[in-house]
Amino acid sequence: MRQELLSLPKGLAEEVSKNLVMVARLIDEEPEQAYAYSRIALRLASRVAAVREAAGFAAYATQKYSEALAEFRAAKRMTGSVELWPVMADCERGLGRPERALAMAGEPEVQKLDKAGQVEMRLVAAGARRDQGQLEAAIVTLQSPELASSSVQPWTARLRYAYADALLAAGREDEAREWFGKTLEADKDGATDASDRLAELDGVEFVDASIDLSDLAEDQDQDDDRNDDEDDEDDEDAAEIAAAERASDVAEYYDEDDEEYEPLEQSAAGADVEDDKA
């Protein structure tokens, strides 16, 4: 890449390089942002193969398969390399054309790939078989010396995982469990979720026991507020009941049916009732 950028004026080369660095940094976690940086680099240096390739991978990461395929083809024309052949075939799958991906798997370009590229092409071909509902054919496609090998290579975990997943899809659960276990042995970096798949097969359920303390505090505050409101309401009810009882006492003391009853404008008991109301 550096050699290709040297063909550009110094200032332009630095600007393009900065954008390509951002593409590489963001493509896994923030693919949309990576894509935006790739478009800037592409606008600045569309005749640089490394730029076309980076733009292709950024488009691929955001599932813009048609655009990615166009960029990969351009990069391939510029370099003459077949390195991008597997990902180009996978773009065909993404576009809903698994038959084209399978046709590419049979092209002479595959024989020019290194071992990693050939394994990648096998994975794409198996995926295309599954796209067509050919599960057994997908399983057979993945059966290879690389799968049977006990040595662990960069592609081993992915290859074993794809095989286990295909076996499970075909209803061969015991074999799938075995190969998810083998995947776990090779997957030192945790690139796959083989451990979760194994737990699923064994009927193990994981419960998230973590507690969000901020949520807990917020719930406690809400409970306290509700308790305070209830206490205030209880106080008000008690005051009203007491006032009503005293008013009732006054009413009983001054019986209108009593011949000696004389309404009073203000009595001591009446004053107490008024004070309670106030």
Side-chain angles (χ1 to χ4, degrees):
M1 181 187 296
R2 182 174 299 177
Q3 190 66 33
E4 292 181 48
L5 293 177
L6 289 176
S7 63
L8 301 173
K10 184 177 179 181
L12 179 59
E14 290 178 356
E15 189 65 25
V16 172
S17 178
K18 288 178 183 177
N19 283 282
L20 293 181
V21 167
M22 294 305 296
V23 171
R25 184 178 298 172
L26 296 169
I27 196 165
D28 291 328
E29 302 297 329
E30 300 289 345
E32 290 292 346
Q33 290 187 29
Y35 175 76
Y37 279 107
S38 76
R39 301 308 295 176
I40 295 173
L42 192 59
R43 187 171 65 249
L44 294 173
S46 62
R47 295 187 178 183
V48 175
V51 171
R52 304 302 289 266
E53 183 176 330
F57 278 110
Y60 179 80
T62 54
Q63 299 183 2
K64 298 177 175 66
Y65 298 116
S66 180
E67 187 176 323
L69 186 56
E71 298 301 339
F72 290 143
R73 284 172 175 167
K76 180 177 178 296
R77 283 196 304 270
M78 291 176 179
T79 63
S81 171
V82 297
E83 184 181 20
L84 297 171
W85 196 253
V87 71
M88 289 169 64
D90 206 39
C91 285
E92 295 287 5
R93 283 187 61 213
L95 291 168
R97 302 190 295 238
E99 69 285 351
R100 292 194 185 183
L102 288 172
M104 291 179 69
E107 294 291 333
E109 281 82 355
V110 176
Q111 304 305 317
K112 300 176 184 178
L113 294 168
D114 59 12
K115 183 62 68 177
Q118 290 180 6
V119 171
E120 193 65 36
M121 193 70 240
R122 189 176 292 276
L123 287 167
V124 173
R129 291 292 185 190
R130 291 190 63 172
D131 293 342
Q132 294 180 326
Q134 302 171 5
L135 289 175
E136 291 299 330
I139 291 170
V140 172
T141 300
L142 292 168
Q143 292 170 346
S144 60
E146 293 80 17
L147 180 68
S149 175
S150 58
S151 66
V152 176
Q153 303 295 333
W155 61 77
T156 302
R158 291 180 60 238
L159 183 59
R160 291 179 181 179
Y161 184 90
Y163 188 61
D165 192 51
L167 288 168
L168 186 60
R172 295 158 64 174
E173 190 172 302
D174 291 339
E175 293 173 86
R177 182 183 285 103
E178 177 189 352
W179 280 95
F180 277 128
K182 290 182 178 181
T183 300
L184 200 56
E185 293 173 2
D187 191 9
K188 303 303 181 184
D189 300 327
T192 71
D193 64 346
S195 59
D196 293 340
R197 301 296 297 275
L198 268 176
E200 246 177 62
L201 287 170
D202 293 333
V204 178
E205 293 184 6
F206 295 100
V207 178
D208 186 3
S210 62
I211 299 176
D212 191 330
L213 296 180
S214 62
D215 289 344
L216 185 61
E218 184 178 345
D219 291 341
Q220 185 62 49
D221 290 341
Q222 291 175 354
D223 290 340
D224 291 342
D225 291 341
R226 282 194 292 270
N227 291 335
D228 290 342
D229 292 340
E230 290 173 359
D231 290 341
D232 292 341
E233 290 175 1
D234 290 343
D235 292 341
E236 291 175 3
D237 290 344
E240 290 177 2
I241 292 170
E245 288 175 348
R246 284 191 290 272
S248 176
D249 291 341
V250 173
E252 290 176 0
Y253 184 77
Y254 296 106
D255 187 351
E256 295 181 359
D257 293 331
D258 191 341
E259 293 179 355
E260 297 179 359
Y261 169 74
E262 292 182 3
L264 298 177
E265 293 182 0
Q266 181 71 33
S267 66
D272 290 341
V273 174
E274 293 298 329
D275 290 341
D276 288 335
K277 289 181 179 179

